[in-house]
Amino acid sequence: MSKYWKVLSDLISGSAATGQSSDDRIKTLQDARGKDKACIDGKDHKVVVLKIDLPDFKSRINAWRSARAKVSKIPGVSSVVRNEGEMTVIGTMDPQDILEKLNKYWPTEILKVEPWVESSKSRSKKHKHFSEEESLAAEISLAQEISREEAILAQAEEAFLADAMLMSSLAVTKSLSCEERSRSKSTEESGDPGSGTSGTNFQRKSTTIPLHPSCYQNDEWNSFCEFLSNRLRPLTLSGCRSNDVIDFLRIMRQASSDVHALVGRLSSACDVFGIKPKNNPFHSVAVTAYLETTRERETECILVVSCNGNFDVDETSFIEAILKELHKREVAPVSYNLLGRQHLDAEMLNRSSVGIMVLSNSYACSRQSLDHLVAVMEHLKVKNVVIVPVYFKVTLSDICGLEGKFEAVFLQYLSSAQPDRVQKWEAAMADLASTDGHEWTKETQVTLAEEVVRSACLRLYMKSSKNLVRILALLNHSQSSDADFVGIWGMAGIGKTSIAREIFGILAPQYDLCYFLQDFDLMCQIKGLRQMREDFYSIVFGEEKPSICASDVKPSFLRDWFHKRTVLVVLDDVSSARDAEGVLGGFGWFSHRHRIILTSRRKQVLVQCKVKEPYEIQQLCQFESFRFCKQYLNGESGVMSELMSCSSGIPLVLKVLGSSVSKQHFNNMKEHLHSLRRNPPTQILEAFRRSFDRLDENKKNIFLDIACFFRGYYKDHVVQLLDACGFRTYLGICDLIDESLISLLDNRIEIPIPFQDTGRFIVDQEDKNPCERSRLWDANDIIDVLTKNSGTEAIEGIFLDASDLTCELSPTVLGNMYRLRLLKFYCSISENEGKLNLPQGLDSLPDELRLLHWENYPLECLPCKFNPENLVEVNMPHSNLKKLWAGKKNLEKPKKIKLSHSRNLTDILMLSEALNLEDIDLEGCTSLVDISTSIPRCGKLVSLNMKDCSHLLTFPSIIHLTSLKILNLSGCLQLEEIQDFAPNLKEVYLAETPIRELPLSVVNITELATLDLENCRRLQQLPFGIRNSRSIVELKLSGCTSLENLPNLEALDCGPS
């Protein structure tokens, strides 16, 4: 063994001379290395066994891969394998190079260094050396081990996500009102009737899209296209599926540090080629799930820059507190100490997009440190790294060289003829001073470390947010030949300003002139348009500002002046296109290489500002909300789940509620959160009211009705009810959507829970006494008003979940509520039906009622005095009704009558007078026998449901019901004959009826898609002409045991044979 290897082995084993310092040991090793250089530089192979202190299990796989990649790049390394948690390196390299390389990232020590002997006899039993074949076997074993670990990790992550979803669903159940818990039940009653499943598959025409169009040159796109063409079965873009995308991303993860941004760019490229969003493979659920999983696996880092020589105990302690806090939040700190560094470590600085910089007097103690700081700042600026400064025992005046040690250093070098050097220091410090920072005090050291780390983590998450990534991808693919107007649209508190500022910071270095104006609408109100325009011109013209009034500047002058310059303008929170145009001097002077970015809560405002397709900011997904909450709550999973649920993915709400709840004792957190929902904090109220206060009275009333009563209802149902109340509902809902206050999901009205809470808070503020408020939804308030018989004309709507409630009401309980429009007594939990008893009957109902929804109504009929002239919907399932009312009534307006499961109902003759009825539901009304004169003879009826009317004997002719689409007579066990069918039926359900044959008119129904004859055991034949039907998609004949012959029914679902 050479001298160098002997010294190195002695140092590792500890057999070297004791008492040597680490510096002495390194010097001894270097001396030996110099004397034995020939051996080191020769072709003698050696085996180096190292022990690396890698992170916890979740990050270990990525860390191992990273370590292996770094070692593989060292000259002379021929093989890197892992054996029982240790790294074994084979090659002609210098072991000290490996140690220096790995120690930058993980604590590493060399366990053994020995020459590599090819003979099997000379192999040590303790340390197995690897031949080329064995190395390959070890590599395969390693790959299998990594695959097993990834599988275990994936299972753990799936379990975590399942637990998170479970906690979230439990939190939703606990936190939302009982009315919301019954939404599924109530909206089924209020929504559009569902249709049967289709038995026919429709195949879309395939469109082939060229993979290498000349109009789009991009390495990533070309790589993706090449990947598709090299598949085992070559693919075109139109034939690409989510699994192909995921396979491609797995490969690209090795080369790209940000797969999420890559997906955003490629997704936008697909949009450029005309791929519809629903067909875009990058939009698929599988790809989204893959991205979320990889995001969790990737180790997130934050840079911590300091100039700490351990001279100040407080500074050392504070930096340690920051590092500890980062570890606590599962973020890897990258410590970068400027003190004593000779060269810039770009690789380390590039590991994060966010950095914490602790500024202290230590920087002023060394000109080398100041020079290094300048280099670091320049590098971070080029890489667009966000800096969170912390002023440790210094002030802004100190670091700018105006006071203290920095002043003395700056003056010293100014006097020594080095002004350029000082100017660079001052510029770097001024750059830091322009960023909002944190000031250290002895008393707030621990809380300040938490605050600083939270701020840095939130900026880190902003950098990787899906909204930012997608907008940047769209901007990168913009190919406008004219001025580029970009619109960012979204609700209050969704993060439009933060995203716009982030985009501005990224794009600004590419432009000659940049202008960012936050709170545009508010500033217009404070300063006025004239002053705003003057301010804008003074900034964009700068020292070249022409000596003319801003009002005299014409668009043609601006166009000529800025024609050869690149311009970036960002206007945040624009509420009027006219104001934006006035401040900018019009939109016409902007030309090619000019980009104008506007944010607004109102989509139409952006369209009026020449934005073609505004980008809507999406609410935070489950993972993003969870990560956000962790900055305020750690370990309080129940509270965290409820906070995530009631915040609806709105960053401002998460921040305000999370910050407030985190200050409470653990036992009080949930109660405090519920209190914040009833009384929203000022920040949330102000953000919401800026949108609400702009609405007219019509829209305000519609919004408050939705917030108090109709969240999750079908839009058409709400329009029908509120139109009857005199509101312009359809246009109002469109405007509320444009204002980002509500949205539509599958034609249901969705409203963020914080907006619902705020709307209800506005109603609560109408009066301290519930009986003087316009809308009541809280069970305690309603029961208090009803039992005390204290209702007044102020009340316009009552929605009461009567589950588990039992109380007796006065016959005049509703007598004074003259303006009551909407009344709903329901049970969200069917097993716990409440009972609102009326032992003395009910004298009257308000004549202004549009909605009468009373489940388990206890009386046999409605009050005689009640005039239903305004009534649009009657919904009284499980009632004790025998008939609706006695005598004739004005029934011009009712559109829906639902009396399902009212088992005592015998008389529905009054329905014949309701000429505008569209929906009749009498399911389970088992006492009905004859309805031959009860069905209205008009053409407006769309749905007739008489399922399980088991005693029904006769059914009238319905040939005149030209609008009828759905007929359900299933379970009418005594109905033997049907005279005819309506001509435009789409769905007919006759299961378990004793009919023997179908009316011949069934052959003439050209739109019939579903015909259910299941278990019609007496049915003997089908009309011959049914075989020619081209519309029927589903025909159920299972259980038709008497059916004599079956016509040729190709492509139809006839049920199991």
Side-chain angles (χ1 to χ4, degrees):
M1 182 183 293
S2 69
K3 183 176 181 181
Y4 173 78
W5 306 126
K6 185 175 186 308
V7 172
L8 182 58
S9 297
D10 290 344
L11 289 174
I12 294 168
S13 62
S15 59
T18 58
Q20 279 188 319
S21 65
S22 59
D23 292 338
D24 293 333
R25 292 187 178 192
I26 291 173
K27 189 175 184 305
T28 302
L29 186 61
Q30 289 173 340
D31 292 340
R33 178 181 182 179
K35 294 176 182 178
D36 204 18
K37 189 175 186 300
C39 177
I40 298 170
D41 294 339
K43 298 300 181 183
D44 295 343
H45 281 66
K46 61 193 76 68
V47 177
V48 182
V49 182
L50 307 101
K51 181 179 181 182
I52 310 175
D53 187 9
L54 294 175
D56 55 36
F57 173 75
K58 188 171 183 179
S59 305
R60 191 169 67 244
I61 296 172
N62 287 334
W64 161 248
R65 286 175 173 168
S66 178
R68 185 165 170 260
K70 294 180 189 304
V71 172
S72 299
K73 294 177 182 178
I74 297 175
V77 172
S78 58
S79 178
V80 183
V81 294
R82 185 170 65 173
N83 184 29
E84 298 179 354
E86 299 172 357
M87 177 183 283
T88 302
V89 185
I90 303 172
T92 61
M93 68 287 148
D94 182 359
Q96 191 65 20
D97 291 341
I98 304 175
L99 194 63
E100 291 173 358
K101 187 75 171 177
L102 293 180
N103 261 326
K104 291 181 180 179
Y105 306 96
W106 308 279
T108 306
E109 59 177 315
I110 298 178
L111 299 179
K112 180 67 67 175
V113 178
E114 290 184 357
W116 182 49
V117 182
E118 290 185 311
S119 172
S120 59
K121 295 180 180 180
S122 62
R123 292 177 184 170
S124 169
K125 294 182 180 180
K126 291 184 179 180
H127 299 285
K128 183 179 180 180
H129 300 168
F130 296 88
S131 67
E132 186 174 348
E133 292 80 3
E134 290 169 342
S135 296
L136 179 60
E139 291 287 298
I140 295 172
S141 175
L142 171 63
Q144 293 172 343
E145 182 181 350
I146 290 176
S147 297
R148 286 195 299 271
E149 290 182 349
E150 283 187 320
I152 295 170
L153 181 58
Q155 291 174 2
E157 287 172 339
E158 289 174 4
F160 162 76
L161 290 173
D163 291 344
M165 291 297 290
L166 178 60
M167 289 191 298
S168 178
S169 63
L170 292 173
V172 171
T173 304
K174 293 179 181 178
S175 64
L176 301 184
S177 66
C178 295
E179 180 267 327
E180 294 171 64
R181 292 200 300 268
S182 69
R183 189 189 310 158
S184 174
K185 178 180 175 183
S186 64
T187 51
E188 282 179 10
E189 297 169 352
S190 63
D192 298 328
S195 61
T197 57
S198 174
T200 301
N201 295 324
F202 297 92
Q203 187 172 358
R204 294 189 184 90
K205 293 182 179 180
S206 176
T207 304
T208 302
I209 296 174
L211 291 180
H212 295 280
S214 59
C215 62
Y216 190 90
Q217 295 297 328
N218 182 281
D219 290 341
E220 294 168 345
W221 179 256
N222 292 336
S223 297
F224 178 57
C225 295
E226 185 178 354
F227 169 81
L228 292 181
S229 62
N230 290 333
R231 296 291 270 173
L232 188 59
R233 179 185 175 189
L235 296 172
T236 62
L237 182 59
S238 58
C240 173
R241 296 293 179 264
S242 58
N243 59 319
D244 301 309
V245 170
I246 292 172
D247 288 344
F248 175 71
L249 295 178
R250 286 187 177 125
I251 296 172
M252 293 301 290
R253 278 186 68 193
Q254 309 302 321
S256 176
S257 60
D258 194 346
V259 180
H260 300 76
L262 174 65
V263 169
R265 292 191 291 270
L266 293 177
S267 175
S268 297
C270 286
D271 294 338
V272 170
F273 290 122
I275 299 294
K276 295 180 179 179
K278 64 180 180 180
N279 297 332
N280 190 330
F282 291 94
H283 290 178
S284 68
V285 175
V287 172
T288 302
Y290 173 78
L291 289 178
E292 297 301 340
T293 303
T294 56
R295 190 193 295 270
E296 289 184 29
R297 291 184 186 182
E298 291 170 358
T299 303
E300 292 167 325
C301 304
I302 286 182
L303 190 66
V304 181
V305 181
S306 64
C307 186
N308 177 33
N310 296 323
F311 303 120
D312 189 322
V313 177
D314 289 338
E315 185 177 3
T316 302
S317 175
F318 178 62
I319 294 172
E320 288 176 353
I322 289 176
L323 300 179
K324 182 179 179 181
E325 192 65 30
L326 285 169
H327 281 298
K328 180 181 175 182
R329 297 171 192 268
E330 298 181 5
V331 177
V334 180
S335 297
Y336 192 95
N337 194 342
L338 270 63
L339 197 64
R341 281 190 181 271
Q342 298 291 332
H343 304 288
L344 190 77
D345 192 337
E347 186 177 358
M348 183 177 287
L349 293 175
N350 290 341
R351 291 181 64 190
S352 178
S353 58
V354 175
I356 299 170
M357 186 167 288
V358 181
L359 299 165
S360 65
N361 283 317
S362 301
Y363 288 84
C365 297
S366 166
R367 62 185 180 184
Q368 183 180 353
S369 297
L370 287 171
D371 289 338
H372 200 98
L373 175 65
V374 171
V376 167
M377 290 296 296
E378 289 175 350
H379 182 86
L380 298 183
K381 192 171 184 178
V382 170
K383 294 296 182 180
N384 194 36
V385 176
V386 174
I387 295 296
V388 180
V390 183
Y391 306 113
F392 184 86
K393 296 184 180 179
V394 293
T395 64
L396 283 174
S397 297
D398 291 337
I399 67 166
C400 290
L402 303 178
E403 298 176 5
K405 289 186 178 181
F406 287 91
E407 180 188 21
V409 172
F410 287 5
L411 290 174
Q412 175 187 347
Y413 285 96
L414 276 173
S415 61
S416 61
Q418 298 189 40
D420 293 342
R421 197 174 191 180
V422 175
Q423 284 179 3
K424 289 182 179 180
W425 297 345
E426 289 177 336
M429 290 301 182
D431 203 8
L432 283 169
S434 65
T435 307
D436 292 336
H438 305 262
E439 290 193 15
W440 177 91
T441 62
K442 183 74 173 178
E443 296 75 21
T444 62
Q445 175 162 302
V446 176
T447 57
L448 180 61
E450 293 178 2
E451 184 180 345
V452 168
V453 170
R454 180 186 299 125
S455 176
C457 287
L458 293 178
R459 292 305 303 271
L460 179 66
Y461 301 154
M462 168 60 72
K463 285 273 190 179
S464 61
S465 75
K466 64 176 185 285
N467 285 306
L468 180 63
V469 168
R470 288 172 182 171
I471 294 175
L472 289 174
L474 291 174
L475 293 176
N476 289 336
H477 290 105
S478 177
Q479 298 177 351
S480 176
S481 58
D482 202 352
D484 189 12
F485 286 84
V486 180
I488 300 175
W489 167 52
M491 65 184 69
I494 199 66
K496 300 183 296 297
T497 302
S498 299
I499 289 174
R501 186 171 288 283
E502 198 72 39
I503 293 172
F504 183 80
I506 294 171
L507 298 182
Q510 306 169 23
Y511 290 85
D512 300 327
L513 293 172
C514 302
Y515 180 73
F516 186 101
L517 180 58
Q518 188 171 334
D519 294 326
F520 175 84
D521 185 46
L522 182 62
M523 297 305 294
C524 284
Q525 296 175 32
I526 296 173
K527 290 186 174 183
L529 290 180
R530 184 182 183 119
Q531 183 60 48
M532 292 279 289
R533 186 163 52 246
E534 291 281 357
D535 293 346
F536 172 68
Y537 287 163
S538 67
I539 291 175
V540 296
F541 283 112
E543 296 179 357
E544 301 174 345
K545 179 183 177 183
S547 56
I548 54 177
C549 179
S551 58
D552 297 329
V553 178
K554 295 182 178 180
S556 57
F557 173 81
L558 293 170
R559 189 185 304 112
D560 295 339
W561 189 279
F562 294 108
H563 177 66
K564 295 184 179 180
R565 307 185 188 190
T566 55
V567 178
L568 174 65
V569 175
V570 179
L571 301 183
D572 172 54
D573 195 21
V574 178
S575 63
S576 168
R578 182 176 297 179
D579 289 349
E581 194 170 10
V583 169
L584 298 179
F587 297 137
W589 67 268
F590 291 103
S591 60
H592 183 54
R593 299 194 304 166
H594 295 172
R595 178 168 276 164
I596 303 89
I597 300 175
L598 307 102
T599 76
S600 180
R601 303 179 186 188
R602 304 173 63 189
K603 184 178 182 179
Q604 286 305 312
V605 168
L606 298 176
V607 174
Q608 292 164 11
C609 291
K610 300 183 67 173
V611 175
K612 293 181 180 178
E613 294 184 9
Y615 178 88
E616 183 179 7
I617 300 294
Q618 303 295 319
Q619 292 155 265
L620 300 181
C621 66
Q622 185 90 355
F623 173 75
E624 289 174 320
S625 294
F626 175 76
R627 192 168 58 170
F628 204 111
C629 284
K630 282 183 65 178
Q631 300 310 312
Y632 298 95
L633 303 170
N634 191 22
E636 299 83 9
S637 57
V639 182
M640 191 181 298
S641 297
E642 191 164 341
L643 175 60
M644 288 166 59
S645 171
C646 70
S647 298
S648 296
I650 301 176
L652 174 67
V653 180
L654 282 167
K655 177 182 177 181
V656 174
L657 297 187
S659 177
S660 181
V661 169
S662 66
K663 298 173 184 176
Q664 303 296 312
H665 186 273
F666 174 75
N667 295 333
N668 300 328
M669 283 185 173
K670 281 195 175 183
E671 184 180 345
H672 183 66
L673 181 58
H674 296 159
S675 174
L676 291 175
R677 290 192 60 188
R678 290 190 298 269
N679 299 279
T682 304
Q683 282 179 272
I684 297 175
L685 272 176
E686 288 180 351
F688 168 80
R689 295 224 53 147
R690 287 175 63 184
S691 294
F692 182 78
D693 290 343
R694 282 199 295 256
L695 305 175
D696 59 30
E697 287 303 312
N698 178 68
K699 296 170 194 170
K700 285 181 179 178
N701 277 304
I702 293 171
F703 176 81
L704 292 178
D705 276 347
I706 291 172
C708 295
F709 304 136
F710 295 124
R711 181 171 182 261
Y713 278 62
Y714 281 116
K715 180 197 72 175
D716 296 338
H717 185 208
V718 175
V719 169
Q720 188 178 75
L721 288 174
L722 298 190
D723 273 356
C725 296
F727 301 135
R728 300 182 299 280
T729 316
Y730 180 80
L731 292 177
I733 287 177
C734 291
D735 287 340
L736 293 176
I737 293 172
D738 185 67
E739 289 277 359
S740 306
L741 289 172
I742 65 173
S743 60
L744 289 181
L745 181 62
D746 297 330
N747 208 35
R748 292 179 186 266
I749 296 176
E750 289 298 325
I751 176 173
I753 295 175
F755 290 3
Q756 181 183 42
D757 292 341
T758 310
R760 291 180 168 185
F761 175 77
I762 289 173
V763 174
D764 279 343
Q765 296 305 296
E766 293 174 352
D767 200 285
K768 291 183 178 180
N769 193 336
C771 68
E772 296 294 340
R773 298 176 193 157
S774 61
R775 298 160 179 86
L776 299 178
W777 63 90
D778 183 80
N780 293 327
D781 290 341
I782 296 171
I783 292 300
D784 184 63
V785 170
L786 296 181
T787 55
K788 292 180 180 179
N789 203 18
S790 58
T792 68
E793 63 178 4
I795 300 175
E796 298 179 29
I798 295 176
F799 275 43
L800 171 66
D801 184 355
S803 302
D804 297 321
L805 289 177
T806 301
C807 60
E808 293 187 356
L809 304 179
S810 163
T812 60
V813 65
L814 302 172
N816 294 325
M817 303 184 195
Y818 305 117
R819 298 174 59 214
L820 188 65
R821 300 179 285 117
L822 308 166
L823 177 64
K824 181 173 179 178
F825 294 151
Y826 66 100
C827 297
S828 62
I829 306 173
S830 57
E831 310 86 58
N832 301 329
E833 295 180 354
K835 292 185 178 180
L836 301 179
N837 296 320
L838 294 163
Q840 301 177 48
L842 184 63
D843 286 353
S844 65
L845 286 167
D847 292 344
E848 291 296 315
L849 274 180
R850 272 70 172 179
L851 169 66
L852 175 58
H853 184 142
W854 193 326
E855 298 180 16
N856 302 300
Y857 180 72
L859 304 180
E860 295 182 354
C861 68
L862 294 175
C864 297
K865 298 178 182 179
F866 173 49
N867 183 3
E869 62 180 353
N870 293 307
L871 200 59
V872 174
E873 179 177 335
V874 178
N875 194 341
M876 305 180 76
H878 301 281
S879 72
N880 200 35
L881 287 169
K882 289 186 177 180
K883 59 182 178 180
L884 271 177
W885 44 66
K888 288 190 175 183
K889 299 287 184 180
N890 183 348
L891 296 178
E892 291 184 6
K893 292 188 177 178
K895 302 237 176 135
K896 293 182 180 180
I897 291 185
K898 299 187 176 185
L899 304 172
S900 58
H901 303 291
S902 297
R903 299 185 182 279
N904 297 326
L905 186 67
T906 58
D907 184 359
I908 58 169
L909 186 60
M910 80 296 296
L911 296 186
S912 62
E913 301 170 8
L915 301 181
N916 291 304
L917 268 180
E918 297 175 0
D919 188 355
I920 298 176
D921 185 357
L922 300 172
E923 179 179 343
C925 295
T926 53
S927 296
L928 286 176
V929 176
D930 183 4
I931 63 166
S932 57
T933 59
S934 302
I935 301 301
R937 304 184 65 81
C938 67
K940 295 187 178 180
L941 190 64
V942 176
S943 174
L944 176 58
N945 181 12
M946 301 200 68
K947 181 182 177 183
D948 294 333
C949 292
S950 54
H951 289 85
L952 186 67
L953 297 176
T954 62
F955 189 74
S957 170
I958 57 173
I959 193 70
H960 55 280
L961 299 180
T962 55
S963 297
L964 190 64
K965 302 295 183 185
I966 301 171
L967 174 65
N968 193 340
L969 296 172
S970 294
C972 294
L973 303 179
Q974 299 186 38
L975 183 64
E976 297 183 356
E977 182 183 3
I978 299 173
Q979 299 180 33
D980 52 38
F981 283 137
N984 297 311
L985 279 168
K986 289 186 176 181
E987 301 172 30
V988 176
Y989 301 93
L990 301 173
E992 300 186 20
T993 57
I995 59 172
R996 287 182 168 81
E997 61 181 7
L998 291 175
L1000 293 177
S1001 58
V1002 71
V1003 177
N1004 300 322
I1005 306 177
T1006 58
E1007 298 181 22
L1008 185 63
T1010 299
L1011 179 58
D1012 184 359
L1013 299 170
E1014 196 168 4
N1015 293 321
C1016 291
R1017 303 188 187 281
R1018 297 187 185 181
L1019 182 66
Q1020 297 177 356
Q1021 62 181 1
L1022 295 175
F1024 181 79
I1026 201 170
R1027 65 186 299 171
N1028 298 321
S1029 173
R1030 295 180 178 275
S1031 62
I1032 295 180
V1033 174
E1034 184 178 37
L1035 174 61
K1036 293 187 177 182
L1037 296 173
S1038 61
C1040 297
T1041 54
S1042 300
L1043 198 61
E1044 296 175 355
N1045 53 46
L1046 193 64
N1048 182 18
L1049 299 172
E1050 294 181 2
L1052 296 184
D1053 175 16
C1054 299
S1057 57

